[in-house]
Protein backbone atom coordinates (compact mmCIF):
# COMPACT_ATOMS: atom_id res chain seq x y z
CA UNK A 1 0.00 0.00 0.00
CA UNK A 2 1.37 3.28 -1.13
CA UNK A 3 1.97 5.80 1.60
CA UNK A 4 0.61 9.29 1.15
CA UNK A 5 3.33 11.85 0.60
CA UNK A 6 3.18 14.59 3.15
CA UNK A 7 2.64 18.04 1.64
CA UNK A 8 5.29 20.64 2.30
CA UNK A 9 3.96 23.82 3.79
CA UNK A 10 4.40 26.95 1.57
CA UNK A 11 7.11 29.15 2.82
CA UNK A 12 6.69 32.95 2.75
CA UNK A 13 8.63 34.80 -0.01
CA UNK A 14 12.03 35.87 0.84
CA UNK A 15 12.44 39.42 1.99
CA UNK A 16 14.69 40.24 -1.00
CA UNK A 17 12.07 39.05 -3.48
CA UNK A 18 9.37 41.24 -1.94
CA UNK A 19 11.65 44.25 -2.03
CA UNK A 20 12.39 43.55 -5.70
CA UNK A 21 8.68 43.44 -6.56
CA UNK A 22 8.07 46.72 -4.78
CA UNK A 23 10.97 48.31 -6.64
CA UNK A 24 9.61 47.06 -9.98
CA UNK A 25 6.19 48.45 -9.21
CA UNK A 26 7.72 51.76 -8.21
CA UNK A 27 9.77 51.82 -11.41
CA UNK A 28 6.72 51.17 -13.55
CA UNK A 29 4.83 53.88 -11.68
CA UNK A 30 7.66 56.37 -12.19
CA UNK A 31 7.83 55.53 -15.90
CA UNK A 32 4.10 56.03 -16.22
CA UNK A 33 4.29 59.39 -14.45
CA UNK A 34 7.24 60.50 -16.60
CA UNK A 35 5.37 59.44 -19.75
CA UNK A 36 2.32 61.41 -18.67
CA UNK A 37 4.46 64.45 -17.84
CA UNK A 38 6.29 64.27 -21.17
CA UNK A 39 3.00 64.02 -23.02
CA UNK A 40 1.66 66.98 -21.07
CA UNK A 41 4.79 69.02 -21.81
CA UNK A 42 4.64 68.14 -25.52
CA UNK A 43 0.95 69.03 -25.66
CA UNK A 44 1.59 72.27 -23.81
CA UNK A 45 4.50 73.09 -26.10
CA UNK A 46 2.39 72.36 -29.17
CA UNK A 47 -0.46 74.48 -27.82
CA UNK A 48 1.98 77.29 -27.06
CA UNK A 49 3.44 77.13 -30.56
CA UNK A 50 -0.08 77.13 -32.01
CA UNK A 51 -1.05 80.14 -29.91
CA UNK A 52 2.13 81.95 -30.94
CA UNK A 53 1.45 81.13 -34.59
CA UNK A 54 -2.13 82.29 -34.27
CA UNK A 55 -0.96 85.49 -32.61
CA UNK A 56 1.58 86.03 -35.39
CA UNK A 57 -1.08 85.39 -38.04
CA UNK A 58 -3.44 87.79 -36.28
CA UNK A 59 -0.73 90.42 -36.16
CA UNK A 60 0.12 89.94 -39.85
CA UNK A 61 -3.58 90.03 -40.71
CA UNK A 62 -3.99 93.36 -38.94
CA UNK A 63 -0.94 94.80 -40.71
CA UNK A 64 -2.21 93.60 -44.09
CA UNK A 65 -5.66 95.03 -43.40
CA UNK A 66 -4.24 98.47 -42.75
CA UNK A 67 -1.94 98.20 -45.73
CA UNK A 68 -4.95 97.42 -47.92
CA UNK A 69 -6.90 100.21 -46.23
CA UNK A 70 -4.09 102.63 -47.05
CA UNK A 71 -4.56 101.61 -50.68
CA UNK A 72 -8.26 102.52 -50.50
CA UNK A 73 -7.36 105.85 -48.85
CA UNK A 74 -4.90 106.47 -51.66
CA UNK A 75 -7.61 105.73 -54.21
CA UNK A 76 -9.89 108.27 -52.52
CA UNK A 77 -7.15 110.88 -52.69
CA UNK A 78 -6.46 110.16 -56.35
CA UNK A 79 -10.13 110.48 -57.27
CA UNK A 80 -10.54 113.63 -55.19
CA UNK A 81 -7.70 115.27 -57.13
CA UNK A 82 -9.29 114.45 -60.49
CA UNK A 83 -10.73 117.77 -61.67
CA UNK A 84 -11.39 116.96 -65.34
CA UNK A 85 -14.87 117.28 -66.80
CA UNK A 86 -14.50 113.77 -68.20
CA UNK A 87 -12.98 110.44 -67.13
CA UNK A 88 -10.72 108.32 -69.31
CA UNK A 89 -8.16 105.52 -69.13
CA UNK A 90 -5.36 108.07 -69.54
CA UNK A 91 -5.98 109.65 -66.11
CA UNK A 92 -4.09 109.03 -62.90
CA UNK A 93 -6.87 106.97 -61.27
CA UNK A 94 -6.53 104.43 -64.11
CA UNK A 95 -2.84 104.07 -63.23
CA UNK A 96 -3.30 103.39 -59.53
CA UNK A 97 -0.77 100.54 -59.65
CA UNK A 98 2.00 103.16 -59.74
CA UNK A 99 0.80 104.57 -56.40
CA UNK A 100 0.57 101.06 -54.95
CA UNK A 101 4.17 100.28 -55.88
CA UNK A 102 5.40 103.37 -54.01
CA UNK A 103 3.19 102.64 -50.99
CA UNK A 104 4.62 99.13 -50.71
CA UNK A 105 8.12 100.58 -50.31
CA UNK A 106 6.99 102.67 -47.32
CA UNK A 107 5.75 99.64 -45.38
CA UNK A 108 8.93 97.61 -45.82
CA UNK A 109 7.18 94.24 -45.52
CA UNK A 110 4.21 93.25 -47.58
CA UNK A 111 3.19 94.13 -51.10
CA UNK A 112 0.23 96.27 -52.16
CA UNK A 113 -1.67 96.18 -55.43
CA UNK A 114 -4.37 98.71 -56.26
CA UNK A 115 -6.85 98.83 -59.12
CA UNK A 116 -9.50 101.51 -59.58
CA UNK A 117 -12.36 100.47 -61.84
CA UNK A 118 -14.91 102.83 -63.31
CA UNK A 119 -18.25 101.24 -62.45
CA UNK A 120 -19.89 103.34 -65.14
CA UNK A 121 -17.82 101.59 -67.78
CA UNK A 122 -19.94 98.49 -67.17
CA UNK A 123 -23.45 97.35 -68.15
CA UNK A 124 -25.85 98.86 -65.56
CA UNK A 125 -27.98 95.99 -64.24
CA UNK A 126 -29.93 98.40 -62.04
CA UNK A 127 -31.64 99.46 -65.28
CA UNK A 128 -32.36 95.93 -66.54
CA UNK A 129 -35.85 95.97 -65.03
CA UNK A 130 -37.44 99.36 -64.46
CA UNK A 131 -40.93 100.75 -64.67
CA UNK A 132 -42.39 97.23 -64.29
CA UNK A 133 -40.83 96.09 -67.53
CA UNK A 134 -37.55 94.94 -69.00
CA UNK A 135 -35.30 97.66 -70.40
CA UNK A 136 -34.77 96.22 -73.88
CA UNK A 137 -31.47 98.00 -74.76
CA UNK A 138 -29.85 96.81 -71.51
CA UNK A 139 -31.33 93.32 -71.95
CA UNK A 140 -29.96 93.12 -75.49
CA UNK A 141 -26.50 94.22 -74.37
CA UNK A 142 -26.43 91.55 -71.66
CA UNK A 143 -27.63 88.89 -74.11
CA UNK A 144 -24.95 89.81 -76.66
CA UNK A 145 -22.33 89.72 -73.88
CA UNK A 146 -23.36 86.23 -72.76
CA UNK A 147 -23.24 85.00 -76.36
CA UNK A 148 -19.61 86.03 -76.82
CA UNK A 149 -17.42 82.98 -77.55
CA UNK A 150 -15.19 83.43 -74.49
CA UNK A 151 -18.08 82.50 -72.18
CA UNK A 152 -18.63 79.21 -74.06
CA UNK A 153 -22.37 78.95 -73.33
CA UNK A 154 -24.31 76.31 -75.24
CA UNK A 155 -27.23 77.22 -77.48
CA UNK A 156 -30.09 78.76 -75.56
CA UNK A 157 -28.21 79.16 -72.26
CA UNK A 158 -27.73 82.89 -72.71
CA UNK A 159 -31.46 83.40 -73.27
CA UNK A 160 -32.29 81.26 -70.22
CA UNK A 161 -29.95 83.25 -67.97
CA UNK A 162 -31.51 86.52 -69.12
CA UNK A 163 -34.99 85.07 -68.46
CA UNK A 164 -33.91 83.91 -64.98
CA UNK A 165 -32.52 87.38 -64.21
CA UNK A 166 -35.85 88.90 -65.23
CA UNK A 167 -37.73 86.51 -62.91
CA UNK A 168 -35.31 87.29 -60.08
CA UNK A 169 -35.92 91.03 -60.41
CA UNK A 170 -39.61 91.32 -61.28
CA UNK A 171 -42.15 91.46 -58.40
CA UNK A 172 -44.39 88.60 -59.57
CA UNK A 173 -44.11 84.82 -59.30
CA UNK A 174 -44.90 84.06 -62.94
CA UNK A 175 -42.18 82.02 -64.61
CA UNK A 176 -40.83 83.56 -67.81
CA UNK A 177 -40.17 81.06 -70.61
CA UNK A 178 -36.77 79.57 -69.75
CA UNK A 179 -36.71 81.38 -66.42
CA UNK A 180 -37.08 80.36 -62.76
CA UNK A 181 -39.11 81.54 -59.77
CA UNK A 182 -39.21 80.50 -56.10
CA UNK A 183 -40.41 76.88 -56.69
CA UNK A 184 -37.15 76.12 -58.50
CA UNK A 185 -34.98 77.66 -55.77
CA UNK A 186 -36.95 75.99 -52.98
CA UNK A 187 -36.14 72.58 -54.48
CA UNK A 188 -32.36 73.12 -54.20
CA UNK A 189 -30.25 71.38 -51.55
CA UNK A 190 -29.97 74.72 -49.75
CA UNK A 191 -33.35 76.29 -50.55
CA UNK A 192 -34.14 79.99 -50.75
CA UNK A 193 -36.70 82.31 -52.31
CA UNK A 194 -36.42 84.31 -55.51
CA UNK A 195 -35.52 87.93 -54.73
CA UNK A 196 -38.38 89.57 -56.68
CA UNK A 197 -36.60 92.87 -56.25
CA UNK A 198 -33.49 94.81 -57.26
CA UNK A 199 -29.98 93.49 -56.72
CA UNK A 200 -28.17 94.65 -53.57
CA UNK A 201 -24.79 93.47 -54.87
CA UNK A 202 -23.57 92.19 -58.21
CA UNK A 203 -22.44 89.00 -56.42
CA UNK A 204 -26.12 88.24 -55.91
CA UNK A 205 -26.09 86.99 -59.50
CA UNK A 206 -24.51 83.80 -58.16
CA UNK A 207 -27.89 82.91 -56.66
CA UNK A 208 -29.60 83.00 -60.06
CA UNK A 209 -30.13 79.79 -62.03
CA UNK A 210 -27.54 79.31 -64.76
CA UNK A 211 -24.89 81.68 -63.37
CA UNK A 212 -22.05 79.48 -62.16
CA UNK A 213 -19.00 80.57 -60.20
CA UNK A 214 -16.85 80.01 -63.28
CA UNK A 215 -19.14 82.20 -65.39
CA UNK A 216 -19.28 84.96 -62.76
CA UNK A 217 -15.67 85.02 -61.53
CA UNK A 218 -13.99 83.77 -64.69
CA UNK A 219 -11.31 81.15 -65.19
CA UNK A 220 -7.74 81.01 -66.47
CA UNK A 221 -9.18 80.74 -69.97
CA UNK A 222 -12.09 83.19 -69.84
CA UNK A 223 -13.04 86.46 -68.13
CA UNK A 224 -15.82 86.68 -65.55
CA UNK A 225 -19.11 88.51 -65.87
CA UNK A 226 -18.24 90.52 -62.74
CA UNK A 227 -15.78 92.56 -64.79
CA UNK A 228 -18.51 93.83 -67.11
CA UNK A 229 -21.60 94.27 -64.90
CA UNK A 230 -22.51 96.73 -62.16
CA UNK A 231 -25.35 97.91 -59.94
CA UNK A 232 -23.71 101.29 -59.26
CA UNK A 233 -23.80 104.56 -61.17
CA UNK A 234 -26.59 106.53 -62.82
CA UNK A 235 -27.35 104.01 -65.55
CA UNK A 236 -25.12 105.59 -68.21
CA UNK A 237 -22.06 103.93 -69.75
CA UNK A 238 -18.76 105.79 -70.07
CA UNK A 239 -17.45 105.21 -73.57
CA UNK A 240 -14.00 106.40 -72.47
CA UNK A 241 -13.54 103.66 -69.87
CA UNK A 242 -15.79 100.76 -70.88
CA UNK A 243 -13.93 97.47 -71.50
CA UNK A 244 -13.67 96.47 -75.13
CA UNK A 245 -16.14 93.64 -74.45
CA UNK A 246 -18.80 96.17 -73.39
CA UNK A 247 -18.20 98.37 -76.42
CA UNK A 248 -18.48 95.29 -78.64
CA UNK A 249 -22.02 94.53 -77.39
CA UNK A 250 -23.34 98.09 -77.55
CA UNK A 251 -25.27 97.32 -80.72
CA UNK A 252 -25.93 94.56 -83.24
CA UNK A 253 -23.83 96.23 -85.91
CA UNK A 254 -20.68 96.75 -83.84
CA UNK A 255 -17.69 94.95 -85.35
CA UNK A 256 -14.29 94.12 -83.88
CA UNK A 257 -12.77 96.60 -86.32
CA UNK A 258 -14.98 99.35 -84.90
CA UNK A 259 -14.04 98.38 -81.36
CA UNK A 260 -10.35 98.52 -82.27
CA UNK A 261 -10.69 102.01 -83.79
CA UNK A 262 -12.62 103.36 -80.82
CA UNK A 263 -10.15 101.87 -78.33
CA UNK A 264 -7.12 103.28 -80.13
CA UNK A 265 -8.70 106.73 -80.35
CA UNK A 266 -9.60 106.97 -76.66
CA UNK A 267 -6.14 105.80 -75.53
CA UNK A 268 -4.40 108.60 -77.41
CA UNK A 269 -3.98 111.40 -74.86
CA UNK A 270 -3.89 113.99 -77.65
CA UNK A 271 -7.53 113.34 -78.59
CA UNK A 272 -10.45 115.27 -77.09
CA UNK A 273 -12.67 112.89 -75.09
CA UNK A 274 -14.76 115.53 -73.33
CA UNK A 275 -17.86 114.94 -75.48
CA UNK A 276 -19.87 111.67 -75.47
CA UNK A 277 -20.31 111.88 -79.24
CA UNK A 278 -16.61 111.88 -80.14
CA UNK A 279 -17.20 108.46 -81.68
CA UNK A 280 -19.25 109.84 -84.60
CA UNK A 281 -16.39 110.56 -87.04
CA UNK A 282 -15.08 107.04 -86.34
CA UNK A 283 -18.13 104.76 -86.39
CA UNK A 284 -21.02 106.98 -87.46
CA UNK A 285 -24.09 108.55 -85.87
CA UNK A 286 -26.04 105.39 -85.05
CA UNK A 287 -23.72 103.97 -82.41
CA UNK A 288 -25.64 105.42 -79.43
CA UNK A 289 -29.26 104.98 -80.49
CA UNK A 290 -30.62 104.90 -76.92
CA UNK A 291 -28.69 107.79 -75.36
CA UNK A 292 -26.74 105.55 -72.95
CA UNK A 293 -23.29 107.04 -73.42
CA UNK A 294 -21.49 109.50 -71.16
CA UNK A 295 -17.90 110.58 -70.57
CA UNK A 296 -18.20 111.61 -66.90
CA UNK A 297 -18.40 108.96 -64.18
CA UNK A 298 -19.71 109.15 -60.64
CA UNK A 299 -19.02 105.65 -59.23
CA UNK A 300 -15.68 103.89 -58.86
CA UNK A 301 -14.51 100.70 -57.20
CA UNK A 302 -11.09 100.54 -55.52
CA UNK A 303 -9.68 97.03 -55.18
CA UNK A 304 -6.72 97.04 -52.78
CA UNK A 305 -4.89 93.80 -52.01
CA UNK A 306 -2.08 93.52 -49.46
CA UNK A 307 -0.01 90.35 -49.32
CA UNK A 308 2.87 88.89 -47.37
CA UNK A 309 4.19 85.37 -47.84
CA UNK A 310 1.02 83.31 -48.37
CA UNK A 311 -1.35 85.64 -46.55
CA UNK A 312 -3.50 88.20 -48.37
CA UNK A 313 -6.11 90.75 -47.40
CA UNK A 314 -8.37 92.36 -50.00
CA UNK A 315 -10.69 95.35 -49.66
CA UNK A 316 -13.23 96.33 -52.30
CA UNK A 317 -14.64 99.80 -51.75
CA UNK A 318 -17.16 101.59 -53.95
CA UNK A 319 -17.11 105.37 -53.91
CA UNK A 320 -19.65 107.79 -55.29
CA UNK A 321 -18.29 111.10 -56.52
CA UNK A 322 -20.46 114.21 -56.50
CA UNK A 323 -18.43 117.17 -57.64
CA UNK A 324 -15.46 117.32 -55.27
CA UNK A 325 -17.18 115.16 -52.64
CA UNK A 326 -16.54 111.43 -52.32
CA UNK A 327 -18.98 109.18 -50.47
CA UNK A 328 -18.12 105.61 -49.50
CA UNK A 329 -21.17 103.50 -50.39
CA UNK A 330 -19.81 99.94 -50.18
CA UNK A 331 -17.00 98.26 -48.19
CA UNK A 332 -16.12 94.57 -48.43
CA UNK A 333 -13.14 92.81 -46.79
CA UNK A 334 -11.99 89.41 -47.98
Amino acid sequence: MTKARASRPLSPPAAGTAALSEKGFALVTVLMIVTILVAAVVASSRATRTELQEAANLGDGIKLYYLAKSGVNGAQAILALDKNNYDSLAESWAKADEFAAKASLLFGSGALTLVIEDEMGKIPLQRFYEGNKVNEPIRDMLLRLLKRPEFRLAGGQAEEIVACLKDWLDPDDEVTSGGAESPYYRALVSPYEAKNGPLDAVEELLLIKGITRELFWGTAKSPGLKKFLTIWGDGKININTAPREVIAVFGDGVTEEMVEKLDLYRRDEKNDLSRPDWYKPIVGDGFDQHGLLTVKSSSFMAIAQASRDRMTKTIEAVMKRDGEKLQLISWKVD
Side-chain angles (χ1 to χ4, degrees), residues 248-265:
V249 300
F250 210 78
D252 280 325
V254 180
T255 65
E256 289 300 323
E257 182 181 2
M258 293 168 63
V259 174
E260 181 68 18
K261 288 181 178 179
L262 291 170
D263 191 42
L264 288 174
Y265 185 90

Side-chain angles (χ1 to χ4, degrees), residues 2-57:
T2 306
K3 294 182 179 179
R5 184 178 296 177
S7 59
R8 179 182 297 178
L10 295 175
S11 57
T17 303
L20 182 59
S21 299
E22 292 176 1
K23 288 180 180 179
F25 177 77
L27 178 60
V28 171
T29 303
V30 170
L31 289 175
M32 290 177 63
I33 294 173
V34 170
T35 302
I36 293 171
L37 289 175
V38 169
V41 170
V42 170
S44 176
S45 177
R46 184 181 295 120
T48 301
R49 289 199 304 271
T50 301
E51 290 175 0
L52 289 174
Q53 185 64 45
E54 289 176 351
N57 289 341

Side-chain angles (χ1 to χ4, degrees), residues 42 48 56 58 77 81 86 104 108 112 126 137 139 156 195 206 216 230 234 268 270 291 308 311 324-325 327:
V42 170
T48 301
L58 178 61
L81 292 172
Y86 66 91
S104 295
L112 174 67
Q126 68 271 31
R139 175 194 178 277
K195 180 70 173 291
L206 287 164
F216 182 80
T230 187
D234 59 11
D268 189 338
K270 294 181 293 183
R308 180 183 182 187
M311 183 179 289
E324 296 184 358
K325 297 180 180 179
Q327 179 185 2

Side-chain angles (χ1 to χ4, degrees), residues 27 117 151 154 210 215 236 263:
L27 178 60
E117 296 181 353
F151 293 114
L215 179 60
K236 296 278 190 176
D263 191 42

Side-chain angles (χ1 to χ4, degrees), residues 12 14 51 57 63 94 106 120 184 217 224 233 241-242 244 247 298 300:
E51 290 175 0
N57 289 341
K63 291 178 182 177
L106 296 176
M120 289 182 59
Y184 168 82
W217 294 110
T241 62
R244 290 170 60 107
I247 294 177
S298 61
F300 297 84

Side-chain angles (χ1 to χ4, degrees), residues 194-263:
K195 180 70 173 291
N196 289 345
L199 298 172
D200 293 314
V202 72
E203 289 81 6
E204 195 176 313
L205 291 172
L206 287 164
L207 297 173
I208 297 176
K209 179 185 176 183
I211 300 183
T212 63
R213 296 185 63 84
E214 292 76 17
L215 179 60
F216 182 80
W217 294 110
T219 66
K221 296 182 179 179
S222 63
L225 286 177
K226 185 179 186 294
K227 185 179 179 181
F228 312 117
L229 307 176
T230 187
I231 63 166
W232 308 109
D234 59 11
K236 296 278 190 176
I237 299 175
N238 191 332
I239 188 175
N240 294 344
T241 62
R244 290 170 60 107
E245 292 84 350
V246 173
I247 294 177
V249 300
F250 210 78
D252 280 325
V254 180
T255 65
E256 289 300 323
E257 182 181 2
M258 293 168 63
V259 174
E260 181 68 18
K261 288 181 178 179
L262 291 170
D263 191 42

